Amino acid sequence: MTLENDLHKLIDKALVLGASGAKTVEVAKIKTGAWTSWKCQFGCPNYGKTLCCPPFVPGYEETQKFLREFSQGIIVQYTFSLENIDSTDFAAADLSMSNGLLDILLTLEREAFLQNHYKAFALKAGRCRLCDQCNLTKCVHPTKARPSLEACGIDVMALANDNGYSAEILQGPVQELKIYGLLLVE
């Protein structure tokens, strides 16, 4: 089996699992920057509230070093419909969306590992939603928790747009949300 075949199998699996899109990514082209963690620290109400977000995660320079250990990956798009969601139920919808993407990514990570891509590692956009409140001491879900893409310095909007998706700031009434994850494979 070749890496290309394995990546295509993983993409097919992502779609079967409920991803709305999945494509291969050249890891060397992923954009990072210090500004992403600044946006977390100065603008996100969840800053410092989970072990998968700043200040508890690697900074963008460490992320750049980490990314250099990979050449190929898969970007996963997950679309969540808001059509039948009442605004008072948005927190539950957000939880379902976040953990729905995480479930797909963790399954893909495991599949890649079983394909002998033992370095496979998944990251997703947005904060960790595995616990109602993180204990900030020791993760109680160490096999499932993954750091946030943006918290580690990855420009999620550029990641999506550079790989054929149309990520933009949403304004006005929104019918669906699209979030992204990344599986680093080889």
Side-chain angles (χ1 to χ4, degrees), residues 8-24:
H8 286 294
K9 285 181 181 178
L10 291 167
I11 288 169
D12 290 343
K13 180 77 170 189
L15 297 173
V16 167
L17 292 170
S20 54
K23 299 178 181 184
T24 58

Side-chain angles (χ1 to χ4, degrees), residues 156-158 160-161 165-169 180:
V156 179
M157 297 289 272
N161 289 322
Y165 293 106
S166 179
E168 59 189 12
I169 304 302
Y180 298 90

